[in-house]
Amino acid sequence: MTLSSKISLQSGQPLSDALLTSCDREQIHRPDAIQPYGLLLIAKADTLQIIAGAGDLEARLNPNWLGQSLPDLLNIPADGLKLSGGKALNNTRVSGLQDETFNAQFHVSGEHLLVELEPLDSRNFLTWEIFSQIDATADRFERCPDIAAVCHHGAQVFAKLTEFDRVLVYRFQEDGSGCVMGEKRNEAFPSLMNHHFPASDIPRQARALYLRNRIRVIPDIHYEAAPIRPVEAGTTGIDLSDVQLRSISPVHLQYMSNMGVAASASISLVVDGILWGMITCHNATPRILSEDIRAACRTLAGVMSRQLRNKEELITYQERLRLRNAIEFATSHFDPAASVKDNLQRSVTELRSLFPCDGFAVIDQKEIKTSGKVPEHSDLLAIRDWLRLGSNGGIFCSSCLGKDYPPAEMWPEASAGILAITLPFRTSLTLVWSRVEIVQVIEWAGNPHKGAPDHDGILHPRKSFESWEQTVLGHSHRWTTEQKQAARRLRRSLIADYQTQQLRELNATLTATVQERESLIQQKDFLIREVNHRVQNSLQMVASFLKLQARTSTNEETTEALSEAQHRIAAIGLVHRRLYRGDQMGMVDLSRYLEELIEELCSSLGEEWQAQLRMVLSPVSISADRAINVGLVLTELVINASKYAYGGQAGPLYLSLSVTGDRLTLTVSDQGRHDINLNGSGFGTRMMKAVVGSLGGTLTYTPLSPGLEAVMAVPLDINGPASAHEDIPDGLYS
């Protein structure tokens, strides 16, 4: 019997929120029990003493198992049980009672060591027949043309390998639901090919376990769970995520019973670390998968997953290549001399062919150019205004426009899905590719709305898995990831063209302006040369006059003052020359300026200073007036070091210029011997205090053994806040 229902997805998700919430809350990894076909031992990880277990341990392993040492009970060397990082040991064979042989797997769970014992099949393991089947299957997978073929062949291979009644290859969709893409069955079960399953059938925590454990076997769903005992061992709620024998959720067991399944096996398909889908095996009677078959299933699932990734990558590559060629073809018709707007409006036909769609529109401030089937002009203008309000990075994509933009519910036959590009030009442009409504009929394996919790809060799974059809309205074909990426590339290309056009127009304007001002610049350059020549001559005359006065003066203090004034004038003259030679009027490279200034000071103080000087200067540009002030302070500090630290002789002198954040630091230090007068009021001290104050900085002194270090710190910003000068010792070196 087939049920039909016409449901619009505007009413909400097709699944019950209560069902999803209840499933996601279930602690399926902490069942406190195992499936009884195997045994479980729990020991302390540090002492290896067995404190709990599950299953018929007394009859199948040892009547006195509790409290024993794990290595003694299993006859395993204790050194072989050193685990780290929760990794399982290699398979270990353990002999049991009743002529049973168990395969032992070891896992770490917190402070406990878990040992699961699974009975082995008496058949040989990993036979040559299975090896040859794996090799042939891998070759067949590689020759499959697409994903559908891989899924179809995978179902055939796993059905033959496991001999289960029905094998489904199940792929997860973007919304968490799944679709059967491959099937192999006999008459024991009906077909579920192309059927959909709601996301609640495999909740989030179950998917996490499927990523962690790639194969899961339930030999008989009607088993009676074997609880972990004794209860007083304190293992209640222990994490059994890695245990293959872990007991199954009662909800899932009831779910399979409702499907008529007596035994199942689930094999994960993992692509790039993401759960791509599942291979689900169903049997109408109890059935177990032996160890060799499970190993082959793991290997084949890995081979199949790699081929699924290869097919997806091939499809993605082909789609990207097609879209890139389509964009290049569409934009190749653009006229380089025309505006981007004109090119877009003239190329609506070519642009429409970029993406499979029913219509295309270029929307200007008021003008609209269209091709194909699109909404009314007033609706397009409203969509443009709505898109401008969003923060979508200039790209908007929807395959259910009515859900995102409610007015679109009124005209799904004109547009049920759009891909839009908003261009941030001076006059904004919007490009819209439109797709009309596609009425879809989704065939579900049972009504996905059933299975919500009862009034008592107990979750009951769906009882019916007969085909149930859902008619989906208001949707268009989905826009692919490659199409969205191509839209972003097109947007970047159009913005670049617009910017190039703006630059071309700006360059034309600038060219005319430059030509107009070139004559003015030439005149200014002539005047600057003349002014520089006159200023330099004037400074040289003043310096020569001061030098002559210093030579003729008989007063030692006057001679020193005149010499210092001469050095200060030289510093100002050097800045002036650098200003004239520099590329940026008004700005000076302070490091080069200070280097040249020191060279001139050393020439005047004596060539022997060159060998004593050490400089580490970081490049920084500051305004000329501030450079002059820094130069004056440096000149004063060097002269003071020469006079007071070394008594006029050459001595070691260290200079550094550094930039930290928004401040520059000038350091001058010597190794001389001198007395520091903190109460002096000499001209040099007063001058430096005034200059540093005008820079909004500080000047501090630190006595060394021997020597003295002077540090001036000033803000780079010319509008930096003025600083107090209490740190400047009044009268230092006076």
Side-chain angles (χ1 to χ4, degrees):
M1 175 181 180
T2 299
L3 302 176
S4 297
S5 175
K6 193 170 186 178
I7 300 175
S8 171
L9 290 188
Q10 301 300 322
S11 62
Q13 295 180 349
L15 301 177
S16 167
D17 291 339
L19 175 61
L20 286 170
T21 303
S22 299
C23 287
D24 289 339
R25 283 201 304 261
E26 191 179 6
Q27 299 290 312
I28 60 175
H29 60 302
R30 302 180 187 273
D32 291 328
I34 65 169
Q35 300 180 59
Y37 74 92
L39 307 174
L40 177 67
L41 295 172
I42 302 176
K44 293 183 177 180
D46 52 354
T47 64
L48 300 181
Q49 181 187 17
I50 300 173
I51 61 172
D56 193 3
L57 292 161
E58 290 80 4
R60 300 176 66 184
L61 186 64
N62 190 310
N64 302 313
W65 59 273
L66 186 62
Q68 287 199 34
S69 169
L70 187 61
D72 294 340
L73 180 66
L74 301 183
N75 194 23
I76 299 174
D79 292 342
L81 296 178
K82 302 299 182 184
L83 298 180
S84 62
K87 300 296 183 181
L89 290 177
N90 293 329
N91 296 343
T92 303
R93 301 295 185 258
V94 174
S95 298
L97 304 177
Q98 305 176 5
D99 295 328
E100 274 190 300
T101 300
F102 296 95
N103 177 52
Q105 289 281 351
F106 301 81
H107 314 279
V108 173
S109 179
E111 299 177 352
H112 299 97
L113 180 62
L114 309 181
V115 185
E116 56 176 327
L117 302 172
E118 184 180 356
L120 293 175
D121 198 315
S122 59
R123 297 181 303 170
N124 293 329
F125 302 111
L126 298 176
T127 62
W128 287 109
E129 180 183 356
I130 293 179
F131 276 120
S132 62
Q133 188 172 352
I134 291 174
D135 187 59
T137 301
D139 183 64
R140 179 67 182 273
F141 277 145
E142 189 171 353
R143 293 199 304 270
C144 289
D146 52 29
I147 291 175
V150 172
C151 293
H152 172 75
H153 182 62
Q156 313 300 312
V157 169
F158 281 93
K160 181 179 179 181
L161 182 62
T162 62
E163 297 181 356
F164 272 64
D165 292 326
R166 180 172 64 191
V167 173
L168 306 174
V169 179
Y170 175 94
R171 179 180 186 177
F172 292 115
Q173 309 295 315
E174 290 183 355
D175 60 357
S177 64
C179 178
V180 178
M181 299 189 64
E183 181 186 60
K184 175 65 177 177
R185 66 180 181 90
N186 56 28
E187 297 303 319
F189 288 103
S191 174
L192 292 177
M193 186 63 185
N194 296 322
H195 281 55
H196 288 68
F197 290 80
S200 60
D201 280 8
I202 306 180
R204 282 191 295 267
Q205 75 274 31
R207 300 185 194 210
L209 287 176
Y210 282 128
L211 270 175
R212 191 165 179 172
N213 311 125
R214 301 296 173 88
I215 187 168
R216 186 85 166 108
V217 178
I218 309 175
D220 185 356
I221 70 166
H222 301 292
Y223 70 85
E224 183 177 348
I228 296 176
R229 54 191 170 90
V231 176
E232 57 270 18
T235 59
T236 302
I238 190 170
D239 189 351
L240 301 181
S241 296
D242 295 319
V243 177
Q244 174 70 225
L245 298 171
R246 181 183 68 250
S247 186
I248 308 302
S249 163
V251 176
H252 184 64
L253 293 176
Q254 184 62 50
Y255 176 91
M256 289 194 298
S257 178
N258 294 345
M259 292 183 72
V261 175
S264 74
S266 300
I267 306 152
S268 304
L269 293 173
V270 180
V271 175
D272 293 331
I274 298 174
L275 191 62
W276 185 92
M278 303 287 299
I279 300 168
T280 303
C281 308
H282 295 154
N283 213 64
T285 58
R287 179 174 180 79
I288 191 170
L289 283 184
S290 61
E291 182 187 24
D292 57 338
I293 299 298
R294 292 207 308 270
C297 286
R298 290 190 191 95
T299 303
L300 285 175
V303 173
M304 184 174 174
S305 297
R306 286 189 290 273
Q307 288 302 320
L308 289 170
R309 180 186 60 189
N310 293 341
K311 305 308 178 191
E312 287 188 335
E313 288 179 348
L314 177 60
I315 293 172
T316 299
Y317 171 76
Q318 292 174 338
E319 179 67 4
R320 287 178 179 173
L321 185 62
R322 185 196 71 79
L323 289 169
R324 191 178 299 273
N325 292 336
I327 290 175
E328 290 180 357
F329 174 77
T331 56
S332 65
H333 294 79
F334 287 3
D335 182 1
S339 67
V340 175
K341 170 188 170 182
D342 292 340
N343 280 324
L344 291 174
Q345 291 178 340
R346 285 199 294 261
S347 305
V348 290
T349 303
E350 292 80 5
L351 291 169
R352 175 186 171 185
S353 64
L354 287 181
F355 309 114
C357 65
D358 299 292
F360 173 74
V362 177
I363 310 172
D364 192 4
Q365 197 68 25
K366 294 182 179 180
E367 186 180 5
I368 299 178
K369 293 288 186 179
T370 64
S371 174
K373 196 168 188 179
V374 295
E376 298 293 334
H377 281 205
S378 59
D379 295 325
L380 287 174
L381 292 174
I383 290 176
R384 178 205 61 190
D385 295 338
W386 174 73
L387 289 172
R388 289 178 181 175
L389 299 176
S391 56
N392 47 46
I395 300 292
F396 175 78
C397 177
S398 175
S399 58
C400 182
L401 185 58
K403 181 179 179 180
D404 300 302
Y405 179 65
E409 294 180 358
M410 305 302 297
W411 26 267
E413 72 287 347
S415 179
I418 64 169
L419 175 60
I421 297 176
T422 301
L423 298 170
F425 298 167
R426 185 178 303 168
T427 301
S428 179
L429 286 176
T430 303
L431 312 182
V432 175
W433 287 264
S434 174
R435 290 175 175 174
V436 300
E437 177 187 49
I438 300 296
V439 178
Q440 303 176 65
V441 178
I442 299 178
E443 194 170 16
W444 295 87
N447 188 342
H449 298 280
K450 295 183 178 180
D454 287 344
H455 295 296
D456 58 3
I458 300 176
L459 180 67
H460 297 280
R462 291 184 289 118
K463 297 181 179 180
S464 173
F465 292 86
E466 295 179 346
S467 291
W468 188 89
E469 292 183 353
Q470 178 185 31
T471 303
V472 180
L473 303 177
H475 282 61
S476 69
H477 286 304
R478 187 177 63 87
W479 303 93
T480 66
T481 301
E482 289 70 37
Q483 291 168 351
K484 300 173 192 176
Q485 293 175 347
R488 291 188 179 93
R489 288 196 301 270
L490 176 61
R491 182 175 185 269
R492 288 195 298 266
S493 176
L494 294 175
I495 291 175
D497 289 346
Y498 178 78
Q499 292 172 341
T500 300
Q501 185 183 70
Q502 295 296 304
L503 287 175
R504 190 183 302 119
E505 295 175 358
L506 181 60
N507 285 337
T509 304
L510 289 176
T511 300
T513 303
V514 168
Q515 290 175 351
E516 181 181 347
R517 295 186 178 183
E518 275 184 353
S519 59
L520 296 176
I521 293 174
Q522 291 175 358
Q523 294 177 22
K524 288 183 179 181
D525 185 60
F526 175 77
L527 293 174
I528 289 173
R529 289 176 184 272
E530 189 65 24
V531 169
N532 177 66
H533 178 70
R534 293 178 182 273
V535 170
Q536 292 297 325
N537 286 343
S538 299
L539 291 174
Q540 287 178 5
M541 289 178 62
V542 173
S544 298
F545 175 75
L546 291 174
K547 185 175 182 181
L548 180 61
Q549 288 293 99
R551 287 179 179 177
T552 58
S553 175
T554 58
N555 186 295
E556 183 178 351
E557 184 177 353
T558 302
T559 300
E560 291 180 359
L562 292 172
S563 298
E564 292 175 7
Q566 182 183 354
H567 292 314
R568 292 169 186 137
I569 289 176
I572 296 173
L574 179 61
V575 173
H576 196 275
R577 289 198 300 275
R578 289 208 52 79
L579 265 177
Y580 175 70
R581 295 203 308 264
D583 296 330
Q584 294 183 340
M585 300 297 292
M587 299 299 292
V588 173
D589 184 343
L590 185 59
S591 61
R592 292 179 59 187
Y593 162 58
L594 295 183
E595 185 177 358
E596 294 180 8
L597 177 61
I598 291 299
E599 289 179 358
E600 290 198 5
L601 281 174
C602 288
S603 298
S604 62
L605 293 174
E607 296 298 333
E608 65 273 12
W609 278 95
Q610 292 288 351
Q612 300 292 341
L613 190 62
R614 297 292 182 271
M615 292 188 295
V616 179
L617 305 177
S618 300
V620 57
S621 295
I622 65 173
S623 61
D625 57 340
R626 293 169 68 80
I628 291 174
N629 288 332
V630 174
L632 289 175
V633 173
L634 177 61
T635 301
E636 193 69 24
L637 292 174
V638 172
I639 292 173
N640 285 345
S642 170
K643 290 169 55 178
Y644 300 107
Y646 300 113
Q649 301 299 317
L653 190 64
Y654 173 78
L655 278 72
S656 72
L657 177 67
S658 61
V659 179
T660 304
D662 59 350
R663 300 183 71 81
L664 66 85
T665 303
L666 176 66
T667 303
V668 179
S669 62
D670 59 65
Q671 299 178 11
R673 298 182 181 274
H674 40 69
D675 295 326
I676 301 177
N677 181 7
L678 300 179
N679 298 315
S681 57
F683 171 77
T685 299
R686 295 195 303 272
M687 185 273 291
M688 282 195 292
K689 182 175 181 180
V691 171
V692 173
S694 69
L695 292 171
T698 60
L699 179 61
T700 58
Y701 295 89
T702 303
L704 305 176
S705 297
L708 184 73
E709 180 183 67
V711 178
M712 181 179 70
V714 299
L716 287 172
D717 185 5
I718 191 171
N719 296 317
S723 301
H725 310 292
E726 290 80 5
D727 292 335
I728 303 177
D730 195 12
L732 184 65
Y733 284 138
S734 59

